[in-house]
Amino acid sequence: MKGKNIVLGVAGGVAIHKSLDLVSQLVKRDANVHVVMTKNATKMIQPLQFQVISRKPVLVDLFHLSENWKPYHIDLSDQADLLAVVPATANIIGKMANGIADDALSTIAISVNCPTLVAPAMNGHMYQHPAMRANMKRLKRQLEPQGLKVVEPASGMLACGYEGVGRLNELEVILSAIEDILMKKHSTGSNNLAGKKVLVTAGPTREYLDPVRFITNRSSGKMGYAIAEVAHQRGAEVILISGPVSIEAPTGISPIFIQTTNELYQAVMSKVDSVDVIIMAAAVADYQAKSVADQKIKKSPTTNELTLLLQPTIDIAADLGQKKKKEQILITFAAETENLTENAKRKLKSKNCDLVVANDITDPEAGFDIETNVVTLIDKEDSYQLPVMSKKKVAENIFDFIKPKLQSIEITE
Ligand SMILES: Cc1cc2nc3c(=O)[nH]c(=O)nc-3n(C[C@H](O)[C@H](O)[C@H](O)COP(=O)(O)O)c2cc1C
């Protein structure tokens, strides 16, 4: 979010305190947050609070004299990468849906030329009211073509004492939606991977010690399978090379199954020439047995110890980095337990990758065998930390991130 201009519209809803937390989270992510409050919102929280946390002036009065000849609200609208209205009251939604511009926020809402995010929060009866339903419908119809995201309210105990739908959604969900919109803006053009060939590796490898025992890891394959699924949905021809996993293959994809790192290497190398994108999401063993016993290793009756001699496996990513064609995109994963960014940057350079997807596997919401992940996308120019999200959403973000690079690739027939 570094350097992104987010205009945060704050209306007079009881969930207003959460938008203070939102400002703080956005500032932490290096966004420029310009808060615009409605007059009613200022009756609930003083603008000064938002000013201190956002480190920027807060706009309330449309007619205040700015230093610039250009009206401040137009200046803000012109600079905005995103207008986020959090919390969005029934009133501001009604105004936005009907083009009413009678204060700073509602005027900015029809002046911006950027995507808009709306996070409604209100009493359940208000939210279900036919006028509110009609306004939401109208807003969606009008703004969706320009990129409207509605973060629907959640259900639960409301501040007004009622239980039901209307509670402002979790901050993490709002942050994730903001990240999504800004990532889409970061890239250009359509989502389409039609005509592209994508090779994905997934799951663990097995390094055999004897015919029945092996060294492996906790990878479930869920991340790689989610990437293959998203690539397929976006129209790519997908080659999925998978270690042993117990999950279903995505619809329309028949994985090539391998077990050992050597088999993975052979399979990747036999396909790599024809692909545009290579995504190494498999958790590949770093070491293998120096020699694999032909027969099952027996328990020794004389000694309590067994020494295993291991040797490094072939470094598939490094080999790909050396051999890849200039126009091919190589993406690797870095599962780290410490020094995430430094290790990922080293990997980016040493393996000549175009993007490293780094995850701290000590985070309970990241890593092996769970549905979510917390990753940082690191390329030569930038690093982009994503909040906790589903593995499918991570996959969407990866393809959005590389979209500008992909567009310069000639389509392989
Ligand atoms: C204590 C209190 C809490 C309120 N909470 C909400 C709310 O959560 N959502 C909402 O739509 N309106 C809520 N309202 C009503 C709005 O403040 C009212 O409709 C106002 O006109 C909204 O103005 P604005 O959209 O310009 O901020 C609340 C009012 C009060 C007094």
Side-chain angles (χ1 to χ4, degrees):
M1 290 198 190
K2 198 170 179 182
K4 296 288 177 195
N5 286 308
I6 300 172
V7 175
L8 182 69
V10 178
V14 73
I16 188 169
H17 59 282
K18 293 194 189 163
S19 57
L20 267 181
D21 290 343
L22 180 62
V23 175
S24 152
Q25 291 297 325
L26 293 171
V27 169
K28 264 192 202 146
R29 289 165 170 75
D30 292 327
N32 301 318
V33 186
H34 309 272
V35 177
V36 181
M37 296 177 80
T38 64
K39 282 209 177 70
N40 290 323
T42 65
K43 291 177 190 156
M44 295 176 164
I45 290 188
Q46 290 288 321
L48 182 65
Q49 290 252 41
F50 282 98
Q51 179 168 307
V52 172
I53 293 181
S54 69
R55 304 171 194 171
K56 296 219 178 321
V58 172
L59 178 63
V60 181
D61 179 8
L62 186 61
F63 296 95
H64 97 291
L65 211 54
S66 68
E67 287 169 10
N68 208 327
W69 65 268
K70 210 178 190 184
Y72 187 45
H73 69 280
I74 297 294
D75 223 9
L76 280 186
S77 304
D78 289 349
Q79 287 174 34
D81 293 300
L82 169 71
L83 166 66
V85 185
V86 185
T89 54
N91 183 51
I92 189 70
I93 290 169
K95 290 205 269 185
M96 287 170 74
N98 292 284
I100 296 170
D102 64 353
D103 65 1
L105 179 54
S106 53
T107 305
I108 285 176
I110 58 165
S111 316
V112 288
N113 182 24
C114 65
T116 301
L117 177 144
V118 172
M122 64 198 70
N123 165 282
H125 291 155
M126 288 172 84
Y127 195 60
Q128 298 307 340
H129 192 280
M132 177 64 202
R133 299 285 89 229
N135 284 335
M136 285 301 295
K137 220 169 161 181
R138 199 176 161 88
L139 191 67
K140 286 183 183 172
R141 202 179 53 240
Q142 289 172 356
L143 287 190
E144 261 168 5
Q146 287 152 250
L148 170 75
K149 172 76 189 166
V150 177
V151 180
E152 297 288 353
S155 63
M157 188 48 107
L158 306 175
C160 54
Y162 279 94
E163 178 129 17
V165 178
R167 204 162 51 85
L168 186 71
N169 213 319
E170 298 303 324
L171 221 55
E172 272 171 10
V173 176
I174 298 172
L175 271 168
S176 164
I178 292 177
E179 294 261 13
D180 269 10
I181 296 171
L182 293 176
M183 289 280 290
K184 289 213 169 89
K185 192 135 192 285
H186 177 86
S187 55
T188 54
S190 83
N191 265 349
N192 225 336
L193 287 174
K196 302 283 191 283
K197 252 190 179 180
V198 176
L199 188 157
V200 186
T201 70
T205 58
R206 287 178 176 174
E207 302 308 329
Y208 278 86
L209 306 174
D210 69 17
V212 292
R213 301 186 182 97
F214 50 80
I215 302 171
T216 190
N217 58 64
R218 289 174 47 214
S219 170
S220 62
K222 286 178 183 167
M223 189 65 247
Y225 276 50
I227 293 170
E229 185 181 4
V230 169
H232 179 71
Q233 284 168 353
R234 290 188 177 201
E237 186 184 326
V238 178
I239 302 168
L240 174 60
I241 305 178
S242 171
V245 294
S246 54
I247 55 175
E248 293 278 313
T251 314
I253 299 176
S254 305
I256 300 169
F257 285 104
I258 54 84
Q259 292 205 48
T260 66
T261 304
N262 283 344
E263 287 168 9
L264 179 63
Y265 177 75
Q266 299 299 337
V268 168
M269 289 305 164
S270 71
K271 302 286 179 192
V272 74
D273 277 350
S274 64
V275 302
D276 302 293
V277 184
I278 309 151
I279 306 183
M280 295 291 293
V284 183
D286 290 329
Y287 289 91
Q288 62 190 20
K290 200 152 187 192
S291 66
V292 181
D294 289 338
Q295 306 298 329
K296 186 176 168 211
I297 301 168
K298 292 276 180 223
K299 196 170 185 177
S300 165
T302 53
T303 165
N304 279 333
E305 281 182 354
L306 172 69
T307 304
L308 293 175
L309 267 185
L310 302 178
Q311 65 185 10
T313 52
I314 184 159
D315 190 334
I316 305 176
D319 204 46
L320 283 170
Q322 273 181 15
K323 291 182 179 152
K324 83 180 181 83
K325 294 180 215 150
K326 201 165 157 272
E327 65 278 11
Q328 285 179 316
I329 296 175
L330 174 61
I331 302 172
T332 58
F333 273 68
E336 302 290 347
T337 53
E338 56 184 351
N339 305 329
L340 182 78
T341 311
E342 297 79 27
N343 287 341
K345 281 192 173 152
R346 202 170 307 125
K347 192 164 183 179
L348 185 79
K349 207 164 168 197
S350 68
K351 314 225 162 166
N352 190 27
C353 307
D354 300 282
L355 177 68
V356 171
V357 183
N359 58 351
D360 176 355
I361 48 174
T362 59
D363 186 326
E365 290 176 306
F368 294 127
D369 205 15
I370 55 170
E371 303 307 318
T372 56
N373 213 345
V374 187
V375 304
T376 306
L377 305 182
I378 299 171
D379 71 3
K380 279 161 198 142
E381 290 95 40
D382 221 340
S383 83
Y384 212 93
Q385 193 185 346
L386 303 181
V388 54
M389 58 179 68
S390 70
K391 288 185 170 169
K392 197 158 173 208
K393 241 327 3 120
V394 171
E396 300 271 5
N397 276 298
I398 292 170
F399 287 115
D400 284 344
F401 196 85
I402 62 168
K403 219 188 296 169
K405 290 192 180 93
L406 268 174
Q407 263 145 13
S408 58
I409 298 174
E410 287 287 305
I411 291 176
T412 47
E413 294 295 344

